[in-house]
Amino acid sequence: MNLSRSLFVAVAEVNLVGYARNGRNLYRSVQQIPVRLLSSKKTSKQIDLSNFPPDKIRNFGIIAHVDHGKSTLADRLLEITGAIEASASNKQVLDKLQVEKERGITVKAQTASITYYHKGEEYLLNLIDTPGHVDFSYEVSRSLAACQGVLLVVDASQGVEAQTLSNFYLTMDAGIDVIPIINKIDLKTANVDAVCQEMEKFFDIDRKDIIAISAKTGINVESVLEAIIDRLPSPKQHLKCCNSSGPLKALVFDSCYENYKGVNANIAVTSGKIKTGDQITSHFLQSLPRSKTTYEVKDVGILEPDFHSTGVLYAGQVGCVYCGMKTTAEARIGDTFHHVGTPVEAFEGFKSMKPMVLGTMYPNDQSEYINLKKSIDKLTLNDSSVTVHNCNCPALGAGFRLGFLGLLHLDVFKQRLEQEYDATVICTTPTVPYKAILSSPAQIKKHGSDEMTISTAGDFPDLSWIKTFLQPMVTGTVMAPAKYLEAVIDLCERRNGVEQSLSYINDNRVIVVYRLPLDEIIVDFYDKLKSVTSGYGSFDYEDAEYEETNLAKVDILLNGKIVPELSSVFNESKYQRMARQICERLKETIPPQLFPINIQAVVGSKVIAKSLIKPYKRDIFQKLGGGDMTRKMKLVRKHKDEEKRLRMIGKVTVPRNAFVKVLQE
Ligand code: GTP
């Protein structure tokens, strides 16, 4: 069956019916394709949220693999419902951050409330556009807590990809309904039939439930709106109790910091109502040993996608509240807001994320430390999956040891610090959290456990204390065209992966699962995979606990003296290569002195790499002005002795940029 053809016909019908029924403005897609969609601009000033009881509300997320078209679909939904004017310049309007616009990816889930008429009734729809990249999956899981359903979008030319699957599993965990959508049917390479088959196979859904659309051109997008209302449950059906006359209970599923207004908390109200002037508190605040645990609601409203004050939010609705909170300690994601004096049972909260990648950030100049601290505080409020600890390095000063969910996450965080807070930082080479199992009773007593985490070389224990080292592992899923199977296997095996399973999705595509050490994939695995599969491979991974390994602490000696800041911990399979790299980098960056500088990388007492910086040349015969060979040789001997003496007593000054170069790359 040629589904895309039949859907084109269906689209025309849906739109004509919609136009006649609603009698609203004719919407012409910006690409000038013959599809009619409808607009009904309604500003929040006109919105009376009391007109939307739970059965007139649908809260849904849009999830997909990277670039399958979530944000573009959100653009069309906002245009059709009149939340934004239809315009050719509407490209991923919910991607508001500069980093999102520059990289063309969503990194922050974004909420927008829209209204839509269906069968003569007006509905309040709350959509959450989520990121697709695995490093931001925490955004997806949190957003799903505020939804009763999702649009699962799959690219018609790419099919189901690794992160489509992991996002789908998140919806299963959240126990919410799915509307399967095939997007980009306008592409010449679209293969709707094959993608339908894949979706049937992976998601156990019926082909007739799949909606094929083009988010870019607008084809069939209005039928997505119809399906949202017809097929997704209202908060009342999903939450069972969802009553505006009950006590206030609201889940904080996101928050961010705004200059002047302070913290803005995104909430999903599951019972009661919250209005300006209310005195609220939360389960977490009540548990704190501090005086300020209650707050007055300064403003409350919905996101359209910008904040619009409505003065009140009722049960089943999703919106945003300002109550003068200033720090992360006050607005905790996963917390339960309730009225002062009316306690309610708390939500379970969100599972805290385990950092996968560790990086240390130092201010460019120590005078900027306080500002950097404030900036990191505000940014972590916006991204609670980042963990922060203070640290200090004699060469680079005071800084922060941060934990991220992946390398892209780290990169984006750094870029946001620079762009949104004007804070430039020195960021050290990312590493992963290793562990040591201790055998020494004295050390076990000291650490309060037989397990210690090794985040930096400074944490590396004496070998006599330990039983074994552990490294974090992941289960990596690769989906790729079958013709690249050999290259994928080769790549995984070179990265010390162990095959778990291999299966064919159809004749042309395979899915391969490997168990891999995390430190083998954090840096460039994804880029390599893209390169060996000509861009068609997709990758997703999840935490797979720890596994025994051998670690080595590589120390750097300059003329026999250890430089502690340059020590690092590496996996056995890497330390030789990394040690050579460090020696070479130091050779390039330390300026020559009057004496030679021996650079040695050692593990214990064994030298595993070395290089030499020759002294800069002086014309020792300059003052001689002539003379015979014996005098010259005497001078050469004297110079050599002097070099030797200097090498013994001379202090090698390692410039800051040498530290930065070694620690950063
Ligand atoms: P992430 O948030 O980074 O995961 O991406 P996304 O899923 O939000 O995808 P996005 O909407 O940013 O679209 C990715 C690219 O696909 C953009 O270049 C869009 O213009 C394009 N695109 C989206 N939908 C369609 C479509 O229906 N047809 C065509 N031809 N291109 C589309």
Side-chain angles (χ1 to χ4, degrees):
M1 170 176 87
N2 187 338
L3 188 67
S4 60
R5 256 182 83 90
S6 58
L7 279 162
F8 268 85
V9 177
V11 173
E13 283 170 13
V14 166
N15 289 317
L16 284 172
V17 171
Y19 181 62
R21 186 189 58 223
N22 295 304
R24 283 176 276 159
N25 297 337
L26 180 76
Y27 166 95
R28 185 164 283 275
S29 108
V30 289
Q31 284 73 23
Q32 297 299 308
I33 57 120
V35 173
R36 292 162 186 179
L37 303 171
L38 310 162
S39 170
S40 64
K41 179 82 184 149
K42 185 163 201 171
T43 68
S44 57
K45 294 203 177 54
Q46 296 164 288
I47 287 185
D48 176 357
L49 290 183
S50 66
N51 290 336
F52 298 99
D55 59 318
K56 292 286 177 296
I57 298 170
R58 299 291 183 272
N59 299 318
F60 65 97
I62 311 182
I63 58 169
H65 183 78
V66 183
D67 277 354
H68 281 204
K70 295 173 292 293
S71 306
T72 309
L73 174 58
D75 290 346
R76 295 294 88 75
L77 296 177
L78 293 175
E79 285 178 358
I80 295 169
T81 53
I84 55 171
E85 294 293 330
S87 148
S89 60
N90 287 340
K91 290 204 173 98
Q92 292 95 17
V93 290
L94 291 184
D95 289 347
K96 289 184 189 165
L97 302 174
Q98 193 181 340
V99 57
E100 296 183 310
K101 291 190 191 306
E102 282 173 12
R103 292 179 181 243
I105 55 166
T106 307
V107 302
K108 182 85 200 124
Q110 185 65 48
T111 306
S113 294
I114 50 187
T115 57
Y116 183 70
Y117 274 97
H118 177 66
K119 297 181 182 149
E121 303 264 13
E122 194 178 23
Y123 286 81
L124 178 66
L125 310 181
N126 185 74
L127 81 82
I128 306 183
D129 179 24
T130 63
H133 195 280
V134 59
D135 283 14
F136 305 100
S137 60
Y138 189 50
E139 289 284 317
V140 183
S141 55
R142 269 189 299 109
S143 307
L144 295 186
C147 298
Q148 286 82 49
V150 289
L151 309 179
L152 177 66
V153 180
V154 179
D155 186 317
S157 63
Q158 311 250 319
V160 174
E161 297 279 15
Q163 279 148 239
T164 323
L165 282 184
S166 63
N167 281 331
F168 176 73
Y169 296 140
L170 288 179
T171 66
M172 305 257 291
D173 288 347
I176 59 179
D177 291 18
V178 172
I179 299 180
I181 290 175
I182 296 184
N183 185 32
K184 307 196 188 180
I185 59 170
D186 59 298
L187 288 177
K188 282 202 178 78
T189 47
N191 189 345
V192 177
D193 265 348
V195 178
C196 272
Q197 272 171 23
E198 286 183 11
M199 291 175 87
E200 282 178 308
K201 177 169 172 176
F202 283 112
F203 310 134
D204 193 21
I205 47 174
D206 215 317
R207 174 177 286 236
K208 70 171 172 30
D209 293 333
I210 301 172
I211 308 175
I213 65 164
S214 165
K216 188 167 181 175
T217 61
I219 299 169
N220 217 14
V221 174
E222 186 138 6
S223 59
V224 174
L225 282 165
E226 311 276 327
I228 289 166
I229 293 164
D230 287 336
R231 285 158 55 178
L232 294 184
S234 72
K236 187 165 192 128
Q237 288 163 305
H238 186 82
L239 299 168
K240 302 288 183 283
C241 55
C242 190
N243 191 344
S244 288
S245 58
L248 169 67
K249 182 170 174 181
L251 170 72
V252 181
F253 67 92
D254 203 357
S255 63
C256 73
Y257 184 86
E258 283 176 34
N259 286 336
Y260 312 115
K261 287 178 112 174
V263 173
N264 112 27
N266 285 13
I267 56 168
V269 183
T270 59
S271 156
K273 58 174 184 262
I274 181 167
K275 55 182 193 323
T276 311
D278 280 359
Q279 293 292 323
I280 59 163
T281 182
S282 81
H283 268 262
F284 175 67
L285 290 170
Q286 295 284 305
S287 69
L288 292 178
R290 43 186 284 176
S291 51
K292 176 111 178 109
T293 55
T294 66
Y295 292 84
E296 183 182 311
V297 176
K298 308 271 185 230
D299 208 350
V300 57
I302 53 175
L303 297 161
E304 283 193 319
D306 295 324
F307 175 77
H308 282 288
S309 172
T310 53
V312 62
L313 278 179
Y314 297 92
Q317 296 172 357
V318 172
C320 180
V321 59
Y322 292 89
C323 48
M325 291 178 170
K326 293 266 183 290
T327 62
T328 26
E330 296 155 290
R332 197 180 150 110
I333 287 172
D335 201 3
T336 311
F337 278 172
H338 60 88
H339 281 138
V340 173
T342 322
V344 291
E345 197 186 325
F347 292 106
E348 243 176 55
F350 299 115
K351 222 171 48 185
S352 55
M353 296 304 284
K354 224 164 67 179
M356 303 289 262
V357 174
L358 305 172
T360 311
M361 292 188 188
Y362 299 94
N364 254 343
D365 187 306
Q366 277 298 301
S367 63
E368 293 159 16
Y369 175 81
I370 298 291
N371 276 342
L372 178 60
K373 183 173 170 25
K374 284 186 187 156
S375 309
I376 289 179
D377 263 1
K378 288 174 189 165
L379 199 48
T380 46
L381 186 65
N382 200 227
D383 183 353
S384 56
S385 55
V386 179
T387 57
V388 188
H389 294 103
N390 295 332
C391 68
N392 212 307
C393 156
L396 300 175
F400 303 90
R401 187 132 197 96
L402 304 159
F404 299 93
L405 302 184
L407 204 60
L408 178 65
H409 190 201
L410 183 154
D411 249 17
V412 164
F413 189 89
K414 184 167 161 250
Q415 194 174 340
R416 288 188 69 186
L417 274 178
E418 282 164 12
Q419 290 177 337
E420 295 168 38
Y421 298 93
D422 206 14
T424 40
V425 293
I426 296 163
C427 183
T428 63
T429 319
T431 160
V432 301
Y434 298 107
K435 281 181 181 172
I437 302 295
L438 301 167
S439 58
S440 145
Q443 290 302 319
I444 295 174
K445 195 167 170 205
K446 188 174 161 200
H447 285 91
S449 153
D450 66 346
E451 191 179 284
M452 63 174 283
T453 302
I454 304 168
S455 310
T456 63
D459 302 332
F460 199 80
D462 192 301
L463 292 181
S464 64
W465 302 344
I466 65 137
K467 205 188 295 176
T468 179
F469 287 114
L470 301 175
Q471 64 171 332
M473 302 295 291
V474 293
T475 304
T477 306
V478 177
M479 291 174 90
K483 63 178 173 178
Y484 299 112
L485 178 60
E486 217 172 295
V488 170
I489 291 178
D490 184 50
L491 174 65
C492 293
E493 279 174 10
R494 272 191 284 119
R495 298 301 176 104
N496 301 327
V498 177
E499 191 184 311
Q500 308 290 298
S501 69
L502 191 166
S503 52
Y504 278 76
I505 303 164
N506 51 39
D507 290 348
N508 305 320
R509 296 220 307 146
V510 283
I511 177 165
V512 189
V513 180
Y514 265 83
R515 184 172 165 84
L516 292 143
L518 177 61
D519 72 355
E520 290 287 353
I521 61 155
I522 53 162
V523 179
D524 58 352
F525 182 84
Y526 191 61
D527 292 342
K528 287 273 172 345
L529 177 72
K530 283 276 167 202
S531 118
V532 301
T533 58
S534 310
Y536 290 109
S538 67
F539 178 63
D540 184 61
Y541 62 87
E542 59 180 354
D543 178 19
E545 297 302 326
Y546 277 73
E547 193 174 284
E548 253 183 55
T549 189
N550 274 332
L551 298 180
K553 180 182 176 202
V554 176
D555 289 317
I556 301 296
L557 308 182
L558 298 180
N559 283 349
K561 287 193 194 108
I562 192 161
V563 186
E565 297 93 320
L566 295 176
S567 302
S568 344
V569 175
F570 297 109
N571 217 315
E572 192 186 40
S573 58
K574 279 191 183 169
Y575 70 82
Q576 292 270 7
R577 181 165 46 92
M578 296 310 292
R580 274 198 298 276
Q581 247 179 45
I582 295 175
C583 290
E584 281 315 303
R585 276 193 205 136
L586 285 173
K587 186 176 172 179
E588 283 160 21
T589 39
I590 298 178
Q593 320 261 328
L594 283 169
F595 49 90
I597 303 171
N598 277 322
I599 306 171
Q600 290 172 311
V602 299
V603 170
S605 55
K606 188 174 163 208
V607 178
I608 53 166
K610 58 184 179 186
S611 60
L612 176 77
I613 303 175
K614 291 188 179 148
Y616 64 77
K617 286 210 168 68
R618 279 189 307 165
D619 185 2
I620 53 170
F621 305 121
Q622 199 183 22
K623 287 187 190 153
L624 207 59
D628 63 11
M629 199 56 181
T630 338
R631 285 190 66 191
K632 281 188 179 167
M633 289 313 291
K634 196 173 161 195
L635 210 58
V636 170
R637 271 198 304 276
K638 195 172 155 206
H639 177 68
K640 282 208 165 138
D641 285 348
E642 172 72 0
E643 256 184 14
K644 209 164 155 188
R645 196 179 65 83
L646 276 175
R647 188 163 42 187
M648 301 281 285
I649 58 154
K651 191 170 176 318
V652 182
T653 326
V654 184
R656 198 164 183 269
N657 72 327
F659 281 111
V660 173
K661 188 147 176 85
V662 172
L663 297 174
Q664 200 161 246
E665 288 176 28

